[in-house]
Amino acid sequence: MSSQSFQELQIRVVRLPHAEGLELPRRETEHAAGLDLVAANPEAEPLVLKPRARALVPTGLVMEIPPGFEGQVRPRSGLAFKHGITVANAPGTIDADYRGEVKVLLINLGEEDFVVTRGMRVAQLLIAPVSFVSLVPVETVETTSRGAGGFGSTGL
Ligand SMILES: O=c1ccn([C@H]2C[C@H](O)[C@@H](COP(=O)(O)OP(=O)(O)OP(=O)(O)O)O2)c(=O)[nH]1
Ligand SMILES: [Mg+2]
């Protein structure tokens, strides 16, 4: 791979008191796409996710995502594969104008209870550009060879 350098987008982040002592989310490998989000629930209060249950996991972080970008909260494949733990609303959307705490909505699709402990890497955050669009009402739209075909119209 080339050793090309990429421009890094810096995002201002406030650590809330309950994030004290936790590492900031970071890439686990040099060119990992996501920063791993860390659970900031109290040490003494592990979150127990029963099968089919959901929980909003705090990260203790408030971010200032620049306008023109969004945060995407995505599952970690290891947790999904090994435990059936995923993000219920994947990919979760963090709006650039959101100034609340980033939270991760986990769901347990596995058969066993799953315990979220403080400091556990529960999901990953990607920052992606957003296209700003507005809808323009018209009477007709350009035709295409696909037309209205969808939902398996090209075969399985
Ligand atoms: O996984 C997520 C998804 C959302 N949020 C926060 C940031 C986001 O900007 C806000 C609203 O999210 P969304 O638009 O997905 O939810 P909504 O149900 O449409 O709520 P709202 O009416 O507040 O937009 O909630 C998170 O912390 N984690
Ligand atoms: Mg919304």
Side-chain angles (χ1 to χ4, degrees), residues 12-37:
R12 288 153 54 88
V13 59
V14 171
R15 284 193 245 208
L16 298 172
H18 56 281
E20 203 186 304
L22 293 176
E23 295 273 349
L24 269 183
R26 57 157 194 251
R27 283 183 295 276
E28 285 297 316
T29 59
E30 194 184 358
H31 293 141
L35 309 178
D36 284 348
L37 290 169

PDB file of all heavy atoms in Angstrom, residues 12-37:
ATOM      1  N   ARG A  12     -13.983  18.512  17.510  1.00  0.00           N
ATOM      2  CA  ARG A  12     -13.910  18.923  18.919  1.00  0.00           C
ATOM      3  C   ARG A  12     -14.849  18.038  19.737  1.00  0.00           C
ATOM      4  O   ARG A  12     -15.959  17.737  19.302  1.00  0.00           O
ATOM      5  CB  ARG A  12     -14.307  20.392  19.043  1.00  0.00           C
ATOM      6  CG  ARG A  12     -13.233  21.338  18.495  1.00  0.00           C
ATOM      7  CD  ARG A  12     -13.798  22.648  18.016  1.00  0.00           C
ATOM      8  NE  ARG A  12     -14.603  23.318  19.032  1.00  0.00           N
ATOM      9  CZ  ARG A  12     -14.130  24.161  19.949  1.00  0.00           C
ATOM     10  NH1 ARG A  12     -12.848  24.463  19.985  1.00  0.00           N
ATOM     11  NH2 ARG A  12     -14.938  24.725  20.817  1.00  0.00           N
ATOM     12  N   VAL A  13     -14.360  17.622  20.898  1.00  0.00           N
ATOM     13  CA  VAL A  13     -15.146  16.704  21.723  1.00  0.00           C
ATOM     14  C   VAL A  13     -15.027  17.107  23.195  1.00  0.00           C
ATOM     15  O   VAL A  13     -13.943  17.450  23.656  1.00  0.00           O
ATOM     16  CB  VAL A  13     -14.700  15.236  21.485  1.00  0.00           C
ATOM     17  CG1 VAL A  13     -13.237  15.020  21.793  1.00  0.00           C
ATOM     18  CG2 VAL A  13     -15.554  14.258  22.260  1.00  0.00           C
ATOM     19  N   VAL A  14     -16.169  17.098  23.865  1.00  0.00           N
ATOM     20  CA  VAL A  14     -16.192  17.355  25.306  1.00  0.00           C
ATOM     21  C   VAL A  14     -16.380  16.017  26.003  1.00  0.00           C
ATOM     22  O   VAL A  14     -17.272  15.246  25.644  1.00  0.00           O
ATOM     23  CB  VAL A  14     -17.351  18.309  25.685  1.00  0.00           C
ATOM     24  CG1 VAL A  14     -17.519  18.394  27.198  1.00  0.00           C
ATOM     25  CG2 VAL A  14     -17.109  19.689  25.097  1.00  0.00           C
ATOM     26  N   ARG A  15     -15.528  15.756  26.979  1.00  0.00           N
ATOM     27  CA  ARG A  15     -15.688  14.540  27.779  1.00  0.00           C
ATOM     28  C   ARG A  15     -16.540  14.876  29.004  1.00  0.00           C
ATOM     29  O   ARG A  15     -16.137  15.708  29.826  1.00  0.00           O
ATOM     30  CB  ARG A  15     -14.327  14.045  28.249  1.00  0.00           C
ATOM     31  CG  ARG A  15     -13.563  13.370  27.146  1.00  0.00           C
ATOM     32  CD  ARG A  15     -12.406  12.637  27.760  1.00  0.00           C
ATOM     33  NE  ARG A  15     -11.183  13.237  27.293  1.00  0.00           N
ATOM     34  CZ  ARG A  15     -10.048  12.562  27.189  1.00  0.00           C
ATOM     35  NH1 ARG A  15      -9.995  11.309  27.547  1.00  0.00           N
ATOM     36  NH2 ARG A  15      -8.977  13.139  26.749  1.00  0.00           N
ATOM     37  N   LEU A  16     -17.676  14.259  29.124  1.00  0.00           N
ATOM     38  CA  LEU A  16     -18.544  14.489  30.277  1.00  0.00           C
ATOM     39  C   LEU A  16     -17.921  13.811  31.509  1.00  0.00           C
ATOM     40  O   LEU A  16     -17.083  12.911  31.363  1.00  0.00           O
ATOM     41  CB  LEU A  16     -19.942  13.934  29.982  1.00  0.00           C
ATOM     42  CG  LEU A  16     -20.636  14.632  28.789  1.00  0.00           C
ATOM     43  CD1 LEU A  16     -21.938  13.925  28.415  1.00  0.00           C
ATOM     44  CD2 LEU A  16     -20.896  16.101  29.103  1.00  0.00           C
ATOM     45  N   PRO A  17     -18.339  14.258  32.711  1.00  0.00           N
ATOM     46  CA  PRO A  17     -17.683  13.707  33.924  1.00  0.00           C
ATOM     47  C   PRO A  17     -17.676  12.178  33.963  1.00  0.00           C
ATOM     48  O   PRO A  17     -16.687  11.582  34.396  1.00  0.00           O
ATOM     49  CB  PRO A  17     -18.531  14.295  35.064  1.00  0.00           C
ATOM     50  CG  PRO A  17     -19.080  15.570  34.502  1.00  0.00           C
ATOM     51  CD  PRO A  17     -19.300  15.337  33.029  1.00  0.00           C
ATOM     52  N   HIS A  18     -18.744  11.554  33.456  1.00  0.00           N
ATOM     53  CA  HIS A  18     -18.761  10.086  33.575  1.00  0.00           C
ATOM     54  C   HIS A  18     -17.842   9.396  32.562  1.00  0.00           C
ATOM     55  O   HIS A  18     -17.728   8.168  32.578  1.00  0.00           O
ATOM     56  CB  HIS A  18     -20.184   9.522  33.519  1.00  0.00           C
ATOM     57  CG  HIS A  18     -20.972   9.888  32.310  1.00  0.00           C
ATOM     58  ND1 HIS A  18     -21.582  11.095  32.148  1.00  0.00           N
ATOM     59  CD2 HIS A  18     -21.253   9.183  31.194  1.00  0.00           C
ATOM     60  CE1 HIS A  18     -22.204  11.125  30.997  1.00  0.00           C
ATOM     61  NE2 HIS A  18     -22.014   9.979  30.383  1.00  0.00           N
ATOM     62  N   ALA A  19     -17.181  10.187  31.693  1.00  0.00           N
ATOM     63  CA  ALA A  19     -16.199   9.582  30.770  1.00  0.00           C
ATOM     64  C   ALA A  19     -14.783   9.675  31.333  1.00  0.00           C
ATOM     65  O   ALA A  19     -13.839   9.212  30.700  1.00  0.00           O
ATOM     66  CB  ALA A  19     -16.264  10.266  29.412  1.00  0.00           C
ATOM     67  N   GLU A  20     -14.671  10.257  32.514  1.00  0.00           N
ATOM     68  CA  GLU A  20     -13.335  10.432  33.087  1.00  0.00           C
ATOM     69  C   GLU A  20     -12.610   9.098  33.237  1.00  0.00           C
ATOM     70  O   GLU A  20     -13.196   8.106  33.664  1.00  0.00           O
ATOM     71  CB  GLU A  20     -13.444  11.107  34.461  1.00  0.00           C
ATOM     72  CG  GLU A  20     -12.167  11.809  34.858  1.00  0.00           C
ATOM     73  CD  GLU A  20     -12.250  12.343  36.270  1.00  0.00           C
ATOM     74  OE1 GLU A  20     -13.185  13.116  36.549  1.00  0.00           O
ATOM     75  OE2 GLU A  20     -11.382  11.961  37.073  1.00  0.00           O
ATOM     76  N   GLY A  21     -11.375   9.098  32.814  1.00  0.00           N
ATOM     77  CA  GLY A  21     -10.562   7.881  32.939  1.00  0.00           C
ATOM     78  C   GLY A  21     -10.677   6.955  31.737  1.00  0.00           C
ATOM     79  O   GLY A  21      -9.914   6.006  31.620  1.00  0.00           O
ATOM     80  N   LEU A  22     -11.617   7.235  30.845  1.00  0.00           N
ATOM     81  CA  LEU A  22     -11.755   6.389  29.646  1.00  0.00           C
ATOM     82  C   LEU A  22     -10.929   6.976  28.509  1.00  0.00           C
ATOM     83  O   LEU A  22     -10.783   8.190  28.398  1.00  0.00           O
ATOM     84  CB  LEU A  22     -13.221   6.312  29.199  1.00  0.00           C
ATOM     85  CG  LEU A  22     -14.192   5.597  30.137  1.00  0.00           C
ATOM     86  CD1 LEU A  22     -15.613   5.695  29.590  1.00  0.00           C
ATOM     87  CD2 LEU A  22     -13.785   4.138  30.324  1.00  0.00           C
ATOM     88  N   GLU A  23     -10.440   6.102  27.669  1.00  0.00           N
ATOM     89  CA  GLU A  23      -9.716   6.541  26.468  1.00  0.00           C
ATOM     90  C   GLU A  23     -10.699   7.199  25.507  1.00  0.00           C
ATOM     91  O   GLU A  23     -11.848   6.784  25.417  1.00  0.00           O
ATOM     92  CB  GLU A  23      -9.136   5.321  25.738  1.00  0.00           C
ATOM     93  CG  GLU A  23      -8.072   4.563  26.507  1.00  0.00           C
ATOM     94  CD  GLU A  23      -6.691   5.152  26.284  1.00  0.00           C
ATOM     95  OE1 GLU A  23      -6.535   6.000  25.391  1.00  0.00           O
ATOM     96  OE2 GLU A  23      -5.787   4.758  27.041  1.00  0.00           O
ATOM     97  N   LEU A  24     -10.219   8.186  24.761  1.00  0.00           N
ATOM     98  CA  LEU A  24     -11.038   8.725  23.676  1.00  0.00           C
ATOM     99  C   LEU A  24     -11.157   7.662  22.585  1.00  0.00           C
ATOM    100  O   LEU A  24     -10.215   6.879  22.389  1.00  0.00           O
ATOM    101  CB  LEU A  24     -10.371   9.959  23.078  1.00  0.00           C
ATOM    102  CG  LEU A  24     -10.725  11.313  23.663  1.00  0.00           C
ATOM    103  CD1 LEU A  24     -10.005  12.406  22.858  1.00  0.00           C
ATOM    104  CD2 LEU A  24     -12.212  11.567  23.676  1.00  0.00           C
ATOM    105  N   PRO A  25     -12.278   7.623  21.862  1.00  0.00           N
ATOM    106  CA  PRO A  25     -12.379   6.673  20.748  1.00  0.00           C
ATOM    107  C   PRO A  25     -11.222   6.871  19.778  1.00  0.00           C
ATOM    108  O   PRO A  25     -10.814   8.003  19.502  1.00  0.00           O
ATOM    109  CB  PRO A  25     -13.701   7.062  20.083  1.00  0.00           C
ATOM    110  CG  PRO A  25     -14.494   7.683  21.170  1.00  0.00           C
ATOM    111  CD  PRO A  25     -13.494   8.407  22.032  1.00  0.00           C
ATOM    112  N   ARG A  26     -10.697   5.773  19.294  1.00  0.00           N
ATOM    113  CA  ARG A  26      -9.576   5.882  18.356  1.00  0.00           C
ATOM    114  C   ARG A  26      -9.613   4.732  17.372  1.00  0.00           C
ATOM    115  O   ARG A  26     -10.302   3.741  17.569  1.00  0.00           O
ATOM    116  CB  ARG A  26      -8.248   5.901  19.110  1.00  0.00           C
ATOM    117  CG  ARG A  26      -8.066   4.672  19.993  1.00  0.00           C
ATOM    118  CD  ARG A  26      -6.614   4.388  20.280  1.00  0.00           C
ATOM    119  NE  ARG A  26      -6.487   3.068  20.828  1.00  0.00           N
ATOM    120  CZ  ARG A  26      -6.181   2.803  22.092  1.00  0.00           C
ATOM    121  NH1 ARG A  26      -5.938   3.769  22.942  1.00  0.00           N
ATOM    122  NH2 ARG A  26      -6.103   1.550  22.505  1.00  0.00           N
ATOM    123  N   ARG A  27      -8.815   4.915  16.293  1.00  0.00           N
ATOM    124  CA  ARG A  27      -8.642   3.827  15.320  1.00  0.00           C
ATOM    125  C   ARG A  27      -7.781   2.751  15.956  1.00  0.00           C
ATOM    126  O   ARG A  27      -6.757   3.067  16.548  1.00  0.00           O
ATOM    127  CB  ARG A  27      -7.933   4.340  14.058  1.00  0.00           C
ATOM    128  CG  ARG A  27      -8.809   5.120  13.117  1.00  0.00           C
ATOM    129  CD  ARG A  27      -8.027   5.523  11.881  1.00  0.00           C
ATOM    130  NE  ARG A  27      -6.952   6.453  12.220  1.00  0.00           N
ATOM    131  CZ  ARG A  27      -7.119   7.758  12.351  1.00  0.00           C
ATOM    132  NH1 ARG A  27      -8.309   8.298  12.129  1.00  0.00           N
ATOM    133  NH2 ARG A  27      -6.121   8.537  12.670  1.00  0.00           N
ATOM    134  N   GLU A  28      -8.162   1.525  15.809  1.00  0.00           N
ATOM    135  CA  GLU A  28      -7.360   0.439  16.378  1.00  0.00           C
ATOM    136  C   GLU A  28      -6.212   0.047  15.459  1.00  0.00           C
ATOM    137  O   GLU A  28      -5.241  -0.548  15.906  1.00  0.00           O
ATOM    138  CB  GLU A  28      -8.243  -0.775  16.676  1.00  0.00           C
ATOM    139  CG  GLU A  28      -9.101  -0.594  17.906  1.00  0.00           C
ATOM    140  CD  GLU A  28      -8.285  -0.417  19.198  1.00  0.00           C
ATOM    141  OE1 GLU A  28      -7.305  -1.156  19.407  1.00  0.00           O
ATOM    142  OE2 GLU A  28      -8.640   0.473  19.986  1.00  0.00           O
ATOM    143  N   THR A  29      -6.348   0.334  14.167  1.00  0.00           N
ATOM    144  CA  THR A  29      -5.238   0.100  13.240  1.00  0.00           C
ATOM    145  C   THR A  29      -5.063   1.373  12.423  1.00  0.00           C
ATOM    146  O   THR A  29      -5.962   2.231  12.391  1.00  0.00           O
ATOM    147  CB  THR A  29      -5.520  -1.095  12.295  1.00  0.00           C
ATOM    148  OG1 THR A  29      -6.700  -0.821  11.552  1.00  0.00           O
ATOM    149  CG2 THR A  29      -5.689  -2.394  13.075  1.00  0.00           C
ATOM    150  N   GLU A  30      -3.936   1.476  11.750  1.00  0.00           N
ATOM    151  CA  GLU A  30      -3.548   2.745  11.121  1.00  0.00           C
ATOM    152  C   GLU A  30      -4.637   3.333  10.234  1.00  0.00           C
ATOM    153  O   GLU A  30      -4.920   4.529  10.274  1.00  0.00           O
ATOM    154  CB  GLU A  30      -2.257   2.531  10.324  1.00  0.00           C
ATOM    155  CG  GLU A  30      -1.599   3.833   9.919  1.00  0.00           C
ATOM    156  CD  GLU A  30      -0.372   3.589   9.051  1.00  0.00           C
ATOM    157  OE1 GLU A  30      -0.021   2.419   8.807  1.00  0.00           O
ATOM    158  OE2 GLU A  30       0.212   4.605   8.611  1.00  0.00           O
ATOM    159  N   HIS A  31      -5.223   2.487   9.386  1.00  0.00           N
ATOM    160  CA  HIS A  31      -6.203   3.000   8.439  1.00  0.00           C
ATOM    161  C   HIS A  31      -7.599   2.452   8.689  1.00  0.00           C
ATOM    162  O   HIS A  31      -8.415   2.332   7.759  1.00  0.00           O
ATOM    163  CB  HIS A  31      -5.748   2.725   6.997  1.00  0.00           C
ATOM    164  CG  HIS A  31      -4.522   3.497   6.630  1.00  0.00           C
ATOM    165  ND1 HIS A  31      -3.508   2.979   5.871  1.00  0.00           N
ATOM    166  CD2 HIS A  31      -4.135   4.750   6.954  1.00  0.00           C
ATOM    167  CE1 HIS A  31      -2.545   3.873   5.732  1.00  0.00           C
ATOM    168  NE2 HIS A  31      -2.911   4.968   6.383  1.00  0.00           N
ATOM    169  N   ALA A  32      -7.880   2.106   9.917  1.00  0.00           N
ATOM    170  CA  ALA A  32      -9.233   1.665  10.253  1.00  0.00           C
ATOM    171  C   ALA A  32     -10.213   2.777   9.899  1.00  0.00           C
ATOM    172  O   ALA A  32      -9.899   3.962  10.047  1.00  0.00           O
ATOM    173  CB  ALA A  32      -9.325   1.331  11.736  1.00  0.00           C
ATOM    174  N   ALA A  33     -11.393   2.389   9.436  1.00  0.00           N
ATOM    175  CA  ALA A  33     -12.386   3.386   9.026  1.00  0.00           C
ATOM    176  C   ALA A  33     -13.049   4.051  10.223  1.00  0.00           C
ATOM    177  O   ALA A  33     -13.426   5.223  10.167  1.00  0.00           O
ATOM    178  CB  ALA A  33     -13.440   2.722   8.144  1.00  0.00           C
ATOM    179  N   GLY A  34     -13.207   3.301  11.301  1.00  0.00           N
ATOM    180  CA  GLY A  34     -13.988   3.817  12.426  1.00  0.00           C
ATOM    181  C   GLY A  34     -13.152   4.036  13.673  1.00  0.00           C
ATOM    182  O   GLY A  34     -12.090   3.430  13.860  1.00  0.00           O
ATOM    183  N   LEU A  35     -13.667   4.922  14.525  1.00  0.00           N
ATOM    184  CA  LEU A  35     -13.102   5.110  15.862  1.00  0.00           C
ATOM    185  C   LEU A  35     -13.984   4.295  16.800  1.00  0.00           C
ATOM    186  O   LEU A  35     -15.212   4.455  16.796  1.00  0.00           O
ATOM    187  CB  LEU A  35     -13.177   6.581  16.282  1.00  0.00           C
ATOM    188  CG  LEU A  35     -12.633   7.628  15.304  1.00  0.00           C
ATOM    189  CD1 LEU A  35     -12.841   9.025  15.883  1.00  0.00           C
ATOM    190  CD2 LEU A  35     -11.158   7.385  15.040  1.00  0.00           C
ATOM    191  N   ASP A  36     -13.386   3.423  17.593  1.00  0.00           N
ATOM    192  CA  ASP A  36     -14.207   2.567  18.444  1.00  0.00           C
ATOM    193  C   ASP A  36     -14.788   3.345  19.618  1.00  0.00           C
ATOM    194  O   ASP A  36     -14.061   4.002  20.373  1.00  0.00           O
ATOM    195  CB  ASP A  36     -13.384   1.375  18.940  1.00  0.00           C
ATOM    196  CG  ASP A  36     -13.197   0.336  17.844  1.00  0.00           C
ATOM    197  OD1 ASP A  36     -13.891   0.433  16.799  1.00  0.00           O
ATOM    198  OD2 ASP A  36     -12.370  -0.575  18.030  1.00  0.00           O
ATOM    199  N   LEU A  37     -16.100   3.267  19.745  1.00  0.00           N
ATOM    200  CA  LEU A  37     -16.801   3.971  20.823  1.00  0.00           C
ATOM    201  C   LEU A  37     -16.801   3.102  22.076  1.00  0.00           C
ATOM    202  O   LEU A  37     -17.055   1.893  22.005  1.00  0.00           O
ATOM    203  CB  LEU A  37     -18.245   4.263  20.400  1.00  0.00           C
ATOM    204  CG  LEU A  37     -18.404   5.322  19.304  1.00  0.00           C
ATOM    205  CD1 LEU A  37     -19.844   5.337  18.784  1.00  0.00           C
ATOM    206  CD2 LEU A  37     -18.015   6.709  19.836  1.00  0.00           C
TER     207      LEU A  37
END
